[in-house]
Amino acid sequence: MLEQLLQRDVHKRPPTVRLQGRILFLTEDPDLIRRQIEGEDLEWDPSIPLRDDISTDEITPGWVCYYYDEKLGEYPYVGLETGGQRPIGHKDIIGKGFVAAVSGKRRGKGSSREAAPYAERAAGIRVVIAENIERIYRENCENLGMLASTDFSLIDRIRRGEELPLEAFIDPEAGQIERDVMEYGGLLDYAVARLKGLVQVPAIETASARPMTVAEKILARHWVVDLKEDEVGVPAVEPGDTGFVRTDLRFSHEYVTPMASSFWDDFVGEDAGLNDPDSIKFFRDHLAFLDEVITPERKKAGLLDAAHALHDRQREFARRKGVRLHGELSDRTGSEAICHIMVQDRYALPGQVVVGSDSHTPHSGCLGCVAFGVGTTAIVNSWATRDVRLEVPPSVRVRITGRKPDNVTAKDMILEVLRHPYVKDGKAIGKIIEYTGEAIEALGIDERATLTNMAAEVGGFTGIVAPDEKTVTWLAERRDLDPGEVREMIAGLESDEDAEYEWTMEIDASTLRPMVATPGDPGNGIPIDELDAPVELDIVFAGACTAAKREDMDMYARVLQEAVDEGRGVSPDVRCYLHFGSVDVEEWARERGYDELFRQAGIQVMPPGCGACINAGPGVSTSPEQVSISSINRNFPGRSGPGKVYLASPYTVMASAVAGRITAWTPRAAVPA
Ligand code: SF4
């Protein structure tokens, strides 16, 4: 495939850009947004509150991502919620002359979907401006050739139609690679320029060994020195080093593979094979249950057909390229697995670099690998070169000491982390989140995965726990690996004593109590005993990559067994749904009688799949008044239907299902260590 890439002609784009057009201010006031859509141009006034925390779910809600081409331009921001309203509708942006979209803090948080900037670009937006911009989203913009900036002084210059140097949109601290990607108008053109020797990846200067964190050690081992010569590995890296790292595993799911496959066919060639297809995996997990919940209006609008087309396209591409697809179940509705759970259970290994087309890819950091989400274009690039670009991020340590109470879980820990001002102010964006401390060491691998998975909600580049004896035992039991070989594999994979951390968050686990995140944002954490008033529930959802693992099943079962023993089950006032994370987890749960217990307790037990977590399966809300408690990882507006979603641990979710209102679980007996 490299030969096909080398046949392409690529050129630098002109050194100046003129972006004359209208500016769209995404404000907190929905009326101001509507007035702009109707034709009014707002003066830039810093006192007008801009919407912070605009997630990619709001830019392109899950159902919009059923499209993977220019049609996306009809939909940017249709999920944007502000002032309790959704002021932007279908075709409100395209054709209105907007070239720039301005918002507040943490633009592009949440999912790594490249559909978000793609939709903005297809609607005419050529530059996004925000106080700060999330890592994956910004990288996706650059990879697509879109401009992004945190410089608000550009607003008036754009409006005046000034000829602006491209330089104005390049972060002054950007490295050579980022500059070259911008100058070549996107990552794929840059890849060709790189292969042709038109650009050089600068060698890093961190030549000699230095104290490193575990993640830095892994990145150093995977650092690409020379792509053509296949030379990989340097003695050391440090934050700020930029380059490419060789990946061990690359995966994508049906939301992304189709767009990536069409980029591949268009850019590289339909006949070109992928580089090392054995280390690429595809998943059909997000939309397997869509048929069961799609509204008649959406079905009439052709969205079900569009969603099926995603599946068909991925299946066809997998067959054509010889890639393993973990697809739909043949005997019933459902998926073989949610991607992250299958990657953790079957594929990822300590010390590896894993990339996935999904923001929760850090999940596998529970095994001591550097796992991170990348966008569509980066996945396509990796199919050709097996590497991905990155700048070594600074590390932040989350040290959780002490012994946690029995009813406190990793989910409660991460909700505590997420409500910390350091995280809420966006200071953890793009950083490596390393979890350490005796409370982390005491956690099983599945529980560690809850923490690393939700590094995505922290805004981090990845989350990681250094591998230890628990990792050895887990890999020996789960994968049948030889413990001695695993010990060799993890040798040296710990952070050096004097490794550098930008900041350390200290948490005493013994002070933690069961938490919920109130609707709207995973950062809205609060101990349950501090809720103002009882919260009555309509829906309970147990599942998703964060909470459909074996240890999660243990927790659901523990609470339900107590309830069933007392002659109780799920409250008649709520509907409760549970998904297994994979067919492996399902089988394991069956062997323990959990599925029978769950059904006996009144739960609707479903085969694996993402389901309601992505607003595409049983358990979604159907009206704004409905209240849910859910074990998923994010509760951004509209994520799981129009209702209000509280996030909580498996214990809390199931105790609440039994009570019919949000309640913490009080164990009758000590939880086994
Ligand atoms: S379960 Fe939810 S968060 Fe996890 S991969 Fe699926 S949609 Fe994403």
Side-chain angles (χ1 to χ4, degrees):
M1 86 297 303
L2 296 184
E3 295 70 38
Q4 271 110 329
L5 275 177
L6 283 165
Q7 283 163 17
R8 284 191 70 91
D9 247 354
V10 290
H11 304 282
K12 279 190 179 183
R13 59 183 176 188
T16 57
V17 280
R18 193 191 295 275
L19 299 164
Q20 191 162 19
R22 300 180 61 207
I23 314 288
L24 174 67
F25 293 96
L26 298 167
T27 58
E28 279 189 10
D29 181 347
D31 284 338
L32 283 182
I33 294 179
R34 266 192 290 269
R35 277 164 42 193
Q36 296 174 81
I37 291 169
E38 283 158 13
E40 182 177 334
D41 286 318
L42 294 184
E43 285 306 312
W44 167 229
D45 174 355
S47 68
I48 297 175
L50 294 169
R51 247 307 302 275
D52 291 332
D53 297 315
I54 294 178
S55 69
T56 50
D57 279 81
E58 290 180 89
I59 300 172
T60 44
W63 60 270
V64 170
C65 303
Y66 304 163
Y67 299 110
Y68 58 94
D69 54 20
E70 291 296 304
K71 192 160 174 68
L72 282 166
E74 297 175 12
Y75 296 97
Y77 316 125
V78 293
L80 186 84
E81 199 168 295
T82 187
Q85 300 174 30
R86 294 217 173 134
I88 301 178
H90 180 215
K91 293 189 181 174
D92 271 353
I93 304 301
I94 193 164
K96 301 282 168 62
F98 293 117
V99 293
V102 181
S103 58
K105 292 191 189 100
R106 293 196 67 179
R107 186 191 181 96
K109 68 193 286 189
S111 139
S112 60
R113 62 188 66 160
E114 197 162 315
Y118 191 108
E120 292 175 293
R121 190 183 73 171
I125 305 288
R126 295 177 62 198
V127 57
V128 294
I129 297 174
E131 278 180 57
N132 44 43
I133 300 173
E134 298 272 317
R135 178 190 72 83
I136 300 180
Y137 173 78
R138 180 166 197 145
E139 213 170 279
N140 284 340
C141 287
E142 290 170 6
N143 289 347
L144 282 170
M146 256 177 86
L147 305 172
S149 177
T150 54
D151 180 359
F152 279 60
S153 74
L154 290 171
I155 293 170
D156 286 336
R157 299 177 70 190
I158 292 170
R159 194 173 258 157
R160 286 196 296 268
E162 277 184 33
E163 186 101 12
L164 297 166
L166 187 61
E167 192 67 30
F169 298 95
I170 300 177
D171 185 339
E173 292 176 9
Q176 191 58 45
I177 300 171
E178 200 175 334
R179 287 175 171 275
D180 288 338
V181 170
M182 296 285 283
E183 285 182 3
Y184 274 90
L187 182 66
L188 298 181
D189 285 280
Y190 169 84
V192 177
R194 182 180 168 210
L195 285 165
K196 287 186 168 186
L198 300 173
V199 292
Q200 303 298 329
V201 177
I204 59 169
E205 288 170 10
T206 314
S208 58
R210 61 182 280 275
M212 286 190 287
T213 65
V214 58
E216 288 165 352
K217 288 179 183 179
I218 295 168
L219 293 175
R221 290 181 188 181
H222 289 78
W223 203 260
V224 176
V225 179
D226 189 321
L227 175 63
K228 277 194 181 158
E229 297 301 318
D230 204 23
E231 193 185 337
V232 173
V234 291
V237 295
E238 64 182 347
D241 283 343
T242 55
F244 286 80
V245 287
R246 170 68 50 84
T247 59
D248 297 294
L249 186 62
R250 300 154 282 167
F251 72 92
S252 55
H253 51 61
E254 81 267 42
Y255 256 124
V256 171
T257 315
M259 189 190 282
S261 68
S262 84
F263 285 6
W264 180 269
D265 286 351
D266 291 349
F267 197 87
V268 189
E270 287 188 22
D271 299 333
L274 309 186
N275 193 338
D276 190 22
D278 286 348
S279 65
I280 300 173
K281 311 290 169 199
F282 294 157
F283 292 88
R284 161 71 164 172
D285 50 6
H286 281 57
L287 300 175
F289 288 90
L290 182 65
D291 298 35
E292 298 188 14
V293 294
I294 193 162
T295 61
E297 301 77 49
R298 288 196 176 158
K299 199 167 178 176
K300 200 167 160 208
L303 285 169
L304 189 59
D305 293 338
H308 286 158
L310 289 176
H311 175 42
D312 295 344
R313 170 84 191 193
Q314 176 171 253
R315 191 169 45 193
E316 181 274 328
F317 191 71
R319 188 186 42 72
R320 185 153 45 98
K321 302 298 172 198
V323 171
R324 171 75 193 267
L325 166 65
H326 289 288
E328 288 190 359
L329 300 172
S330 55
D331 54 341
R332 59 214 155 112
T333 303
S335 313
E336 227 180 287
I338 301 174
C339 55
H340 307 300
I341 292 181
M342 182 68 91
V343 168
Q344 174 201 342
D345 278 350
R346 287 206 198 168
Y347 297 116
L349 286 168
Q352 289 188 330
V353 169
V354 176
V355 295
S357 67
D358 192 281
S359 58
H360 291 103
T361 302
H363 185 105
S364 297
C366 64
L367 289 170
C369 40
V370 173
F372 53 98
V374 294
T376 312
T377 312
I379 281 283
V380 176
N381 178 74
S382 80
W383 287 347
T385 61
R386 274 187 65 198
D387 60 16
V388 292
R389 83 164 156 135
L390 61 72
E391 174 176 334
V392 177
S395 290
V396 168
R397 180 167 44 187
V398 175
R399 185 159 48 207
I400 310 186
T401 51
R403 188 191 152 109
K404 71 173 184 63
D406 281 348
N407 59 355
V408 163
T409 71
K411 186 64 159 287
D412 302 292
M413 293 177 185
I414 194 69
L415 293 181
E416 180 69 25
V417 170
L418 285 165
R419 74 177 182 145
H420 195 286
Y422 182 86
V423 174
K424 291 190 82 122
D425 290 346
K427 291 183 183 152
I429 291 176
K431 307 211 169 131
I432 294 166
I433 314 298
E434 183 181 333
Y435 301 94
T436 67
E438 67 220 42
I440 302 295
E441 287 159 22
L443 293 176
I445 301 299
D446 285 353
E447 276 284 84
R448 294 178 186 182
T450 300
L451 293 168
T452 53
N453 175 301
M454 290 186 69
E457 280 60 45
V458 174
F461 166 75
T462 191
I464 188 167
V465 178
D468 57 10
E469 268 307 305
K470 283 218 159 126
T471 321
V472 174
T473 308
W474 189 90
L475 283 167
E477 286 173 359
R478 197 74 64 88
R479 302 250 192 103
D480 211 15
L481 296 181
D482 176 62
E485 283 175 21
V486 179
R487 282 192 195 98
E488 270 175 37
M489 194 186 294
I490 70 171
L493 287 180
E494 73 266 313
S495 294
D496 293 325
E497 287 261 305
D498 41 358
E500 283 173 26
Y501 295 92
E502 192 171 275
W503 193 66
T504 297
M505 183 187 294
E506 301 277 1
I507 296 174
D508 177 355
S510 68
T511 65
L512 296 177
R513 289 118 74 199
M515 306 272 294
V516 284
T518 59
D521 196 283
N524 295 341
I526 181 173
I528 291 171
D529 53 24
E530 289 180 21
L531 284 169
D532 289 341
V535 180
E536 304 296 329
L537 295 167
D538 301 296
I539 300 168
V540 176
F541 184 79
C545 51
T546 11
K549 307 176 268 19
R550 289 165 176 79
E551 287 185 44
D552 301 307
M553 296 301 144
D554 283 338
M555 289 190 259
Y556 299 131
R558 173 166 280 270
V559 178
L560 287 171
Q561 189 65 62
E562 285 183 0
V564 166
D565 289 348
E566 291 167 5
R568 296 186 300 151
V570 169
S571 162
D573 298 330
V574 303
R575 285 176 290 123
C576 180
Y577 304 85
L578 181 143
H579 276 293
F580 298 110
S582 67
V583 285
D584 299 345
V585 174
E586 184 180 43
E587 190 185 327
W588 179 91
R590 275 202 188 125
E591 284 165 10
R592 280 153 186 77
Y594 288 171
D595 64 328
E596 188 49 45
L597 170 67
F598 296 159
R599 281 180 232 277
Q600 191 187 349
I603 293 173
Q604 184 173 329
V605 181
M606 295 175 292
C610 298
C613 180
I614 190 72
N615 201 10
V620 295
S621 59
T622 50
S623 77
E625 295 73 37
Q626 286 178 318
V627 179
S628 309
I629 193 163
S630 177
S631 63
I632 64 178
N633 39 31
R634 46 180 57 149
N635 56 350
F636 300 130
R639 172 78 184 181
S640 208
K644 301 173 190 63
V645 179
Y646 289 77
L647 303 181
S649 75
Y651 284 145
T652 299
V653 161
M654 234 14 116
S656 301
V658 173
R661 63 188 150 69
I662 292 182
T663 186
W665 175 60
T666 309
R668 305 279 183 274
V671 177

